Amino acid sequence: MTAPLPLPRVRVIRPATVEAAIAARAECPQHEVLAGGTDLLVNLRRGLLAPTVLIDITGIAELEEIRTTGDRTRIGALVRLARLAEDPAIASRHAALHAAAASVAAPGHRRLGTVGGNLCLQTRCIYFNQSAWWRAANGACLKSGGEVCHVAPEGERCHAAFSGDLAPALIALDAEIEIAGPGGRRRVACADLYHEEGRAHLRLAADELVTAIEVPASAARSGYLKERIRRSFDFPLAGVAIACRTEGGRLNALRISVTGTNSRPLLIDGTAALLGRRVDESVLTAAEKLVAKQVRPMRTTLFPANHRRSIAAALTRRLLGALAAPAAAEVGAPPTEAP
Amino acid sequence: MFESGPVPGKRLVRIRVNGRWREDAVADDQLLVDYLRETAGLTGTKTGCDGGECGACTVLVDDEPVPSCLTLAVRCEGRSVETIEGLGAGGRLHRLQRAFHEKLGAQCGYCTPGMIMAAEGLLRRRPDPSEAEIREALAGNLCRCTGYVKIVESVRAAVEAGA
Amino acid sequence: MTKLAGTRDGVPLIDGIDKVTGRARYTADLDHRGAFVGRILRSPCSHAQILRVDVERARRLPGVVAILTGEDCRVPYGVLPIAMNEYPLARGKVRYRGEPVAAVAAIDAETAARALSLIEFEVRELPAYYEADQARAADAVRIHDDKPGNLEREVHHTFGDVAAGFATADLVREEVIDCAEVNHAQIEPHAALAEFDPSTGRLTMQSVSQVTFYLHMMLARCLEMDESRIRVIKPFVGGGFGARVEVLNFELVTAMLARAAGGKVSMELSREETFITHRARPQTRIRVKLGLGRDGRLRACECEVVQRGGAYAGYGVITILYAGSLLHGLYDLPAVKYDGYRVYANLPPCGAMRGHGSVDTRHAFEVLLDRMARELGLDPFEVRRRNLLHAPTRTLNELAINSYGLAECLDRVEAASGWRTRRGRLPRGKGLGMACSHYVSGAAKPIHWTGEPHAVVNVKVDWDGSVTAFTGAADIGQGSSTMVAIAVAETLGLPIEQVRVIAADSATTPKDNGAYSSRITFMVGNAAIDAARRLRRLLTEAAARRLERDPADIDCADGRFRSLSAAGREISFGEAVKAALVDQGTLTVKGTFTCPPDAQGGKHRGGAVGSTMGFSYAAQVVEVSVDEDTGRISVDRVWVALDCGFAINPLAVRGQIEGAVWMGMGQALMEETRYLDGMPAHASFLEYRMPTSLDSPPIDAQIVESIDPNGPFGAKEASEGALASFAPALVAAIADAIGVDLDVLPATPDRVLDAVVARRRRERLDALAGGGR
Ligand SMILES: Cc1cc2nc3c(=O)[nH]c(=O)nc-3n(C[C@H](O)[C@H](O)[C@H](O)COP(=O)(O)OP(=O)(O)OC[C@H]3O[C@@H](n4cnc5c(N)ncnc54)[C@H](O)[C@@H]3O)c2cc1C
Ligand code: SF4
Ligand code: FES
Ligand code: FES
């Protein structure tokens, strides 16, 4: 083994059931959960985490299912993103989720990467996602065990940005997350899975596991738009998911969620005020303003924070305009691979 | 279920590499790419980055092109892994290899094994892809030499040449 | 040239099959059995006095076989004999974050990494400078003691009467253009494998180098070894683009470790370390001023260039000279003033990158020319046509122009892009822009002046009729070995399959200066033809003897030697070889090429830089779509034409043009290296974004053949000339699409948005001013 940046020495265990995985989580003090590994293995090689055990959950068959019961689609935590991106039923029922899945990373990552891994993705920061040499030379920050945040030195918190693509779509679609723990399973609204704190953005106990998402069927139209510098291989500068419904040309439901700008995927407040109105220029401007006001991008990327805000706002206007237009097709889906 | 081996220990793993079953003692923390290059001696698969950012290491696992630096070797237990060395039979070039050679889809050749495996994965799913589908399928494979022009042409030529 | 004329599609690369089958072995794929693992400790600070590098604890770690620090590096190195100011491992001072300070070889990677963590590094920090302005400030601490003002080199050249030129111009404009630093980002990370045999004192080095001869020389120098004990072999190389045209610290360190360990050491750098090794295109600020007549004629040009060169000299002097000298040679310029400043900063050293020295200045020049044409109401193509050169000629700075196909390049892309019917008629948000560029076909004066020819090729023919060409030239994917095979085969009238090429192994091949400045086709190609001609003469004489004719009566073609006068009297190539070997045995002939002194540039200081036997010329049109809300730019199509003199292998020429245009696109659209207090913040392929297949447009590449009088079969270079015109064509297209003039590269969404905001502000102010009137 001569190649640089090897994985640290770890032991891998591969439970076959959710219960066994939960038990293993409770037993092993220094462990990480391994799903697709497209985020975790890279982070391990950079020394961002130092587990001695990896709990590989990909042996749990139960978590691979997609099931449609009545008005809900239940998607197991281990469902691969490529499968979501290629599934015509997902495309027609939950367009935002479909578009979001198709926009993640590059094709190979989508074949390995899972829904659960995408939701539980580590937050990102230019001072954090670096090699061990880099972080040591630069001085550790709050997230890597140091005393100060290099992005906002006067503050007390970490602003590392949540940059997953699925979460905003699920939040806009009002999906629920199923979580298993030693005491059984519970459900939370997707937005409630997250905190606004880059060091600990997940509201998940150390012995819990995300097991599934449940997306309600709805008459709302939905879409996801993501801006990035490249068309592939790139996290969102900002990503906006919207689900909305119009009746007689007037808005009667509207949910907007944004990723890439905060330490959590943000559910935009105040959209209720726009209900009952026609989606005209003033509504688009109002929606754009709501987003611009609420997102808090910080200097966690080399790309200037103020423009991440303006891009989030511009995407909101564009997406809402397209969804409210009479013949809205699926919006924002990049060319997806054929099945 | 994997046995929990002792800490830096290894376990016996059976993987079908380029059509032949192998059994090797594999450390838990060995990446598939290192298993292929070092344990199996198949250096056709390349690495170009510090993890998940270039696609040079792309191989087929059960017919699906994935970056072999983003998956553990132990995870491939019982599965079929194919590398550039597995294409073509009896000394004959595979149609993608021939096309990449004749159409100059390879300049320095460093991205080529990964690129060809990504293209092969596409053609197995989709025998007659459009240019947009080819570009999409190769969107996880960086090339610094060709501007992708002759790579896309090579894949098209392979399609036209037939299986 | 019967055969070349008959194979105008070109031929695949002679080593292509190895690449597509995975058989090709790159440095990391070589036989590593028994090799120790080498690793480098890198400086955490930007600028500091080294107080202590204590390796004792590391040395005691079981499994460590060698450990080195700057103390072990007595001799400095550097690619230019006049500017060798770098040590393989830092001595006395460190000057950038990531600079190598110590190295270990150990039985495995884990031990090597542990050993590095046991090395104690103590320093006294000094002020560090990350921008050229800060480094040049009056009170700045010197990064190198002998360089006041942290200036590596300033250049001041004036040709013609600049003041008079501006005085007669109808329009004089000036712009300041900023270009970000970029990197070669070849996909193969750096690696080296060195083996030292203590019993014979011999060193064998295999590395990712583009310049095996320089590596050989520098190894001898830094290891203080006899040159004849060193062998340098180039395996397959996964791209260069200039990253590997100077000897790199890790190569020297690997060899030193091998000697210290008395065995074989393998060094593989991470992608991050590969970026830190750098040596690429510097951040550059260009202030350019042009004077233009209403007739579109250029009257004068004034240009000031400041390059932030990083911490060591490297190629810096050459880069800053190129930036000025290649203002010339593209258009007819009556007066040019150039002021160049190469500045040190506490960042990884810059170096040569595809289009060395010319790209950023060409960008600024073309951008300004485009804007002035617009102001004068002239078509961008027309303005170029008014300023064409006429070969043969010499530029103001004494560059020889022997062939010039720019006019045809312009015609071709103008027609192909539908410029006349489409320009100005595209919907808002879509635009067309064009620009031109050129590049040298090999520096006419080599850096290491020895009096030897510029290139030597040996060709051997043996009893079996096989022909083998030996060249020191490094094929790094550009197809140079294939070019040599074609040149030899064509000259001998053989099919290319009959010619084998052995390249870049100092034990078997003649010395070659390496793959840089696009010199190989011109120089090595000519040397190969020369060798093959000599061989043909010997074989023709032998055939004449056998056929009992006069040599002048013998024609060599299609693998046969025929009498011209007596039909039917002919022998095969193999028979001619057998005849020639009688009394002689195996034949080896040598061919050479030397640039005549009058091609080697002007007599002024630095006048040799930019001089060449032939310039390639390019024109291109870029079509874009601009999203004004998100700042995203999409390149929809590119049309490019390149005058490469003659396309010896049209397939390879097209591949090179496409690659060059695309690399120009990467620099123009998204690539940039950035530092946070000297920490490389771009050192991964996620942060250093090169375009993916989805960001890359179709490229319509056309070949123009001006048949250079001195080129091999009339050929010139083909792989650099088209790069520099992409960015200015893009900026012009953006202006055409949304009326915004970008003064910075790359044109990332944030910069485009900034420019859009500035335009809107201007429009509002204009409206207010208009309303008040
Ligand atoms: C070059 C590159 C580009 C990328 N671009 C994008 C992008 O554009 N958008 C994007 O969203 N992502 C991107 N990613 C990140 C990643 O590929 C995806 O987010 C992927 O979906 C992660 O899923 P995974 O299964 O591979 O996660 P893993 O790597 O297996 O896990 C990620 C994290 O989630 C935890 N985890 C996983 N599953 C569970 C579970 N069921 N319960 C609790 N915790 C769990 C893990 O412990 C780990 O901390 C990129 C990655 C790379 C290397
Ligand atoms: S936001 Fe601050 S604390 Fe968080 S990762 Fe970045 S630098 Fe560290
Ligand atoms: S080596 Fe770059 S993606 Fe695997
Ligand atoms: S051919 Fe060189 S990187 Fe693709």
Side-chain angles (χ1 to χ4, degrees):
Chain A
M1 172 77 211
T2 61
L5 289 195
L7 277 178
R9 291 257 173 254
V10 283
R11 194 156 58 87
V12 179
I13 57 177
R14 196 165 193 243
T17 63
V18 170
E19 291 63 38
I22 303 284
R25 285 211 85 168
E27 272 163 33
C28 312
Q30 267 187 56
H31 76 268
E32 295 293 333
V33 170
L34 173 70
T38 59
D39 181 48
L40 186 69
L41 294 182
V42 177
N43 291 346
L44 290 178
R45 289 175 72 183
R46 299 227 158 103
L48 301 180
L49 303 155
T52 55
V53 173
L54 297 183
I55 303 176
D56 177 357
I57 58 172
T58 56
I60 308 175
E62 174 203 335
L63 304 185
E64 304 233 16
E65 281 180 3
I66 299 185
R67 207 165 357 119
T68 310
T69 40
D71 60 348
R72 301 178 84 75
T73 311
R74 183 187 158 87
I75 301 170
L78 285 177
V79 168
R80 311 284 155 153
L81 302 178
R83 192 167 151 206
L84 287 186
E86 287 164 7
D87 188 334
I90 299 287
S92 61
R93 292 168 64 102
H94 314 295
L97 179 60
H98 182 254
S103 79
V104 172
H109 304 74
R110 297 198 288 271
R111 288 190 197 99
L112 294 170
T114 66
V115 168
N118 193 276
L119 289 174
C120 298
L121 196 64
Q122 267 290 342
T123 52
R124 301 183 62 80
C125 172
I126 191 70
Y127 292 96
F128 181 67
N129 295 90
Q130 299 288 357
S131 71
W133 170 78
W134 202 103
R135 281 174 288 116
N138 193 56
C141 67
L142 292 177
K143 191 168 164 75
S144 48
E147 304 286 302
V148 66
C149 166
H150 302 310
V151 166
E154 58 294 342
E156 305 261 288
R157 57 162 285 214
C158 164
H159 298 272
F162 180 79
S163 306
D165 285 301
L166 294 195
L170 292 173
I171 290 172
L173 293 169
D174 206 7
E176 284 185 333
I177 310 296
E178 183 189 88
I179 296 167
R185 306 212 177 179
R186 66 183 175 104
R187 284 164 185 228
V188 297
C190 185
D192 294 338
L193 183 62
Y194 302 98
H195 276 301
E196 182 65 55
E197 165 55 58
R199 273 170 296 182
H201 67 301
L202 290 177
R203 294 179 196 240
L204 207 59
D207 50 8
E208 285 185 322
L209 212 58
V210 168
T211 46
I213 55 179
E214 286 206 6
V215 197
S218 107
R221 279 176 172 164
S222 72
Y224 178 66
L225 280 184
K226 166 179 179 174
E227 197 53 77
R228 46 188 161 169
I229 293 176
R230 290 189 293 198
R231 285 195 174 74
S232 176
F233 257 135
D234 229 352
F235 285 96
L237 298 172
V240 176
I242 297 180
C244 67
R245 204 169 55 220
T246 50
E247 225 176 82
R250 293 175 189 278
L251 271 180
N252 72 357
L254 175 63
R255 289 172 71 86
I256 304 176
S257 178
V258 182
T259 187
T261 56
N262 288 58
S263 292
R264 61 180 163 139
L266 213 58
L267 173 63
I268 298 298
D269 279 336
T271 50
L274 303 178
L275 299 184
R277 292 172 60 180
R278 289 189 182 280
V279 182
D280 55 10
E281 189 53 31
S282 71
V283 165
L284 295 179
T285 305
E288 195 178 38
K289 283 216 172 112
L290 283 177
V291 168
K293 275 226 178 74
Q294 291 175 41
V295 296
R296 289 270 176 283
M298 301 288 282
R299 287 182 304 108
T300 55
T301 53
L302 290 171
F303 193 86
N306 60 323
H307 286 310
R308 278 155 61 205
R309 166 181 288 120
S310 49
I311 287 173
L315 294 180
T316 303
R317 159 184 285 271
R318 176 166 300 175
L319 182 55
L320 182 56
L323 290 173
E330 182 182 341
V331 178
T336 50
E337 278 184 78
Chain B
M1 174 163 174
F2 293 156
E3 291 300 305
S4 342
V7 173
K10 298 185 171 187
R11 58 180 106 208
L12 270 187
V13 175
R14 252 168 70 81
I15 304 180
R16 193 168 165 212
V17 179
N18 293 332
R20 283 200 189 169
W21 286 100
R22 296 176 55 104
E23 206 167 58
D24 298 285
V26 171
D28 280 8
D29 49 49
Q30 190 174 40
L31 296 169
L32 177 59
V33 65
D34 294 326
Y35 166 82
L36 291 170
R37 289 177 54 85
E38 283 153 31
T39 307
L42 297 170
T43 54
T45 303
K46 307 296 181 216
T47 58
C49 71
D50 297 341
E53 302 175 349
C54 75
C57 63
T58 304
V59 300
L60 297 180
V61 177
D62 289 341
D63 293 320
E64 300 217 318
V66 293
S68 60
C69 74
L70 287 184
T71 195
L72 296 173
V74 289
R75 271 219 180 153
C76 296
E77 164 75 41
R79 306 178 74 177
S80 163
V81 176
E82 290 168 84
T83 70
I84 188 74
E85 290 94 341
L87 294 187
R92 282 192 45 236
L93 292 183
H94 177 275
R95 60 178 167 147
L96 277 164
Q97 291 173 320
R98 177 168 301 285
F100 271 69
H101 173 54
E102 288 176 354
K103 299 281 169 195
L104 200 60
Q107 282 190 27
C108 81
Y110 201 78
C111 71
T112 308
M115 203 63 89
I116 289 182
M117 296 319 283
E120 172 65 7
L122 170 70
L123 297 192
R124 286 189 192 175
R125 273 175 301 134
R126 185 101 182 144
D128 190 12
S130 66
E131 169 161 349
E133 287 168 327
I134 295 170
R135 287 190 177 269
E136 172 62 30
L138 302 181
N141 295 73
L142 299 179
C143 174
R144 194 59 169 161
C145 299
T146 62
Y148 308 101
V149 179
K150 299 215 178 310
I151 289 178
V152 174
E153 281 172 21
S154 299
V155 179
R156 279 307 310 163
V159 169
E160 273 144 35
Chain C
M1 295 215 307
T2 48
K3 231 188 101 253
L4 281 177
T7 56
R8 297 313 285 144
D9 291 342
V11 295
L13 301 185
I14 56 173
D15 53 2
I17 290 185
D18 291 332
K19 293 172 187 168
V20 300
T21 52
R23 287 203 299 258
R25 295 210 171 232
Y26 298 78
T27 304
D29 308 332
L30 298 170
D31 182 359
H32 284 68
R33 276 172 301 182
F36 299 113
V37 175
R39 284 283 187 274
I40 293 174
L41 181 73
R42 293 175 181 276
S43 167
C45 0
S46 289
H47 195 190
Q49 212 75 49
I50 299 176
L51 302 179
R52 197 166 65 94
V53 187
D54 188 343
V55 298
E56 279 323 304
R57 286 208 306 153
R59 198 188 297 284
R60 287 200 300 272
L61 186 70
V64 171
V65 294
I67 189 153
L68 302 170
T69 68
E71 292 299 304
D72 303 293
C73 306
R74 291 192 305 176
V75 188
Y77 76 100
V79 66
L80 305 181
I82 52 163
M84 298 200 185
N85 63 357
E86 193 168 2
Y87 292 90
L89 298 166
R91 270 171 88 90
K93 256 172 112 173
V94 286
R95 295 180 173 86
Y96 64 94
R97 288 179 132 176
E99 181 170 0
V101 293
V104 296
I107 47 161
D108 58 27
E110 221 175 341
T111 311
R114 282 261 296 293
L116 289 189
S117 71
L118 295 175
I119 296 174
E120 289 164 41
F121 183 56
E122 206 181 303
V123 298
R124 189 171 62 80
E125 295 232 36
L126 298 166
Y129 309 107
Y130 307 124
E131 298 299 336
D133 297 354
Q134 304 166 352
R136 287 172 79 188
D139 58 347
V141 172
R142 288 186 193 182
I143 297 173
H144 293 275
D145 290 342
D146 60 338
K147 293 292 176 182
N150 287 319
L151 259 188
E152 158 68 4
R153 177 73 170 264
E154 49 186 305
V155 180
H156 304 284
H157 286 161
T158 303
F159 301 96
D161 189 340
V162 178
F166 282 123
T168 61
D170 298 305
L171 182 68
V172 176
R173 287 286 179 261
E174 183 176 316
E175 295 276 15
V176 175
I177 304 283
D178 285 301
C179 300
E181 184 184 276
V182 290
N183 185 273
H184 322 86
Q186 74 289 343
I187 307 292
E188 179 194 25
H190 285 321
L193 183 67
E195 184 164 14
F196 186 81
D197 181 346
S199 59
T200 61
R202 288 185 188 275
L203 174 73
T204 304
M205 179 80 190
Q206 304 191 72
S207 169
V208 295
S209 188
Q210 297 174 243
V211 284
T212 49
F213 156 65
Y214 288 179
L215 177 56
H216 192 153
M217 210 167 50
M218 219 51 82
L219 285 168
R221 178 184 158 90
C222 291
L223 276 73
E224 297 174 84
M225 275 179 74
D226 175 357
E227 283 110 345
S228 69
R229 304 248 149 178
I230 298 173
R231 177 178 183 185
V232 177
I233 308 170
K234 182 203 69 74
F236 277 85
V237 172
F241 316 112
R244 296 149 171 189
V245 293
E246 59 183 298
V247 177
L248 302 168
N249 48 38
F250 73 92
E251 297 178 300
L252 298 168
V253 167
T254 309
M256 295 173 86
L257 283 173
R259 181 169 63 181
K264 189 158 149 186
V265 171
S266 155
M267 178 84 75
E268 291 180 36
L269 302 195
S270 65
R271 176 52 54 184
E272 179 187 53
E273 290 178 289
T274 301
F275 269 112
I276 290 171
T277 306
H278 197 49
R279 318 276 154 171
R281 187 151 19 257
Q283 184 194 77
T284 304
R285 168 164 287 188
I286 307 112
R287 193 184 55 74
V288 59
K289 181 172 158 189
L290 293 177
L292 210 57
R294 223 180 300 283
D295 57 359
R297 285 280 293 138
L298 284 158
R299 298 287 152 80
C301 164
E302 207 176 275
C303 184
E304 181 193 275
V305 172
V306 180
Q307 295 172 344
R308 184 190 68 186
Y312 291 97
Y315 267 105
V317 173
I318 304 283
T319 318
I320 197 70
L321 283 164
Y322 260 132
S325 85
L326 293 186
L327 284 167
H328 304 259
L330 181 60
Y331 304 122
D332 184 7
L333 279 176
V336 179
K337 176 171 185 289
Y338 171 70
D339 300 288
Y341 302 88
R342 178 78 174 196
V343 184
Y344 282 112
N346 294 109
L347 294 171
C350 297
M353 181 169 161
R354 206 172 194 173
H356 190 183
S358 72
V359 175
D360 295 347
T361 13
R362 178 53 49 203
H363 172 65
F365 185 105
E366 295 291 299
V367 160
L368 178 57
L369 185 60
D370 191 77
R371 292 178 190 172
M372 291 173 70
R374 188 171 73 204
E375 209 174 329
L376 286 175
L378 292 168
D379 178 78
F381 274 89
E382 236 9 80
V383 137
R384 268 81 180 184
R385 290 194 177 107
R386 306 261 167 96
N387 293 287
L388 295 177
L389 290 163
H390 298 279
T393 182
R394 286 177 104 73
T395 62
L396 292 176
N397 63 337
E398 294 291 315
L399 305 180
I401 311 288
N402 298 317
S403 58
Y404 185 80
L406 186 60
E408 192 180 341
C409 293
L410 287 165
D411 294 348
R412 293 267 202 107
V413 294
E414 187 185 46
S417 64
W419 179 271
R420 292 202 191 183
T421 51
R422 300 177 65 230
R423 160 87 169 187
R425 298 197 181 86
L426 299 176
R428 185 169 177 85
K430 286 197 177 287
L432 286 174
M434 65 80 60
C436 299
S437 52
H438 68 326
Y439 205 65
V440 303
S441 307
K445 193 164 196 167
I447 297 166
H448 295 272
W449 179 250
T450 56
E452 296 168 54
H454 286 65
V456 174
V457 169
N458 290 343
V459 175
K460 182 191 90 148
V461 64
D462 220 326
W463 61 275
D464 57 356
S466 69
V467 177
T468 309
F470 295 85
T471 168
D475 194 321
I476 52 170
Q478 83 283 39
S480 65
S481 291
T482 305
M483 182 281 299
V484 168
I486 297 174
V488 171
E490 172 71 13
T491 308
L492 291 173
L494 293 175
I496 182 174
E497 298 76 35
Q498 205 166 328
V499 179
R500 202 185 278 133
V501 177
I502 297 200
D505 173 349
S506 67
T508 57
T509 61
K511 166 187 152 183
D512 188 81
N513 281 336
Y516 63 87
S517 79
S518 279
R519 56 176 288 284
I520 293 186
T521 292
F522 207 102
M523 301 191 184
V524 178
N526 269 323
I529 292 172
D530 185 41
R533 283 202 184 124
R534 286 169 198 269
L535 180 60
R536 189 176 65 191
R537 201 171 314 133
L538 293 177
L539 296 176
T540 304
E541 282 163 7
R545 281 197 299 278
R546 172 69 62 85
L547 295 169
E548 298 174 334
R549 318 289 304 177
D550 187 80
D553 182 45
I554 303 292
D555 178 45
C556 157
D558 305 327
R560 303 196 69 78
F561 289 82
R562 293 188 183 85
S563 162
L564 290 168
S565 60
R569 295 199 50 112
E570 56 178 88
I571 55 173
S572 70
F573 185 84
E575 287 167 315
V577 169
K578 288 207 169 70
L581 262 52
V582 172
D583 295 335
Q584 298 289 327
T586 305
L587 288 178
T588 298
V589 295
K590 184 176 80 178
T592 65
F593 176 75
T594 302
C595 295
D598 71 342
Q600 296 182 2
K603 296 283 169 281
H604 52 283
R605 187 172 180 224
V609 174
S611 71
T612 181
M613 293 291 288
F615 287 98
S616 68
Y617 291 95
Q620 64 185 300
V621 173
V622 171
E623 181 171 338
V624 296
S625 304
V626 185
D627 182 332
E628 282 190 67
D629 300 329
T630 62
R632 170 190 275 288
I633 295 186
S634 310
V635 177
D636 300 329
R637 279 194 79 170
V638 182
W639 297 266
V640 56
L642 179 96
D643 164 25
C644 65
F646 174 78
I648 296 179
N649 188 359
L651 181 66
V653 167
R654 283 212 176 77
Q656 289 301 316
I657 299 174
E658 289 158 4
V661 164
W662 177 87
M663 198 171 265
M665 181 181 86
Q667 174 176 359
L669 276 185
M670 56 180 82
E671 292 178 26
E672 104 189 83
T673 61
R674 277 177 297 185
Y675 301 90
L676 297 166
D677 286 334
M679 292 305 298
H682 57 269
S684 68
F685 281 148
L686 198 55
E687 291 298 337
Y688 190 85
R689 295 174 175 85
M690 69 178 81
T692 70
S693 56
L694 294 176
D695 305 291
S696 305
I699 299 170
D700 175 46
Q702 305 208 26
I703 298 172
V704 168
E705 298 184 319
S706 61
I707 311 296
D708 188 87
N710 303 305
F713 309 118
K716 304 184 284 190
E717 83 88 29
S719 71
E720 307 196 63
L723 192 153
S725 37
F726 185 92
L730 177 89
V731 167
I734 294 170
D736 185 42
I738 59 166
V740 149
D741 283 332
L742 267 190
D743 293 335
V744 281
L745 286 186
T748 46
D750 51 320
R751 293 172 172 108
V752 174
L753 285 173
D754 284 338
V756 168
V757 168
R759 188 203 66 204
R760 290 192 179 137
R761 193 179 308 125
R762 222 177 28 247
E763 284 169 355
R764 271 200 307 277
L765 288 176
D766 288 353
L768 281 179
R773 233 182 277 135

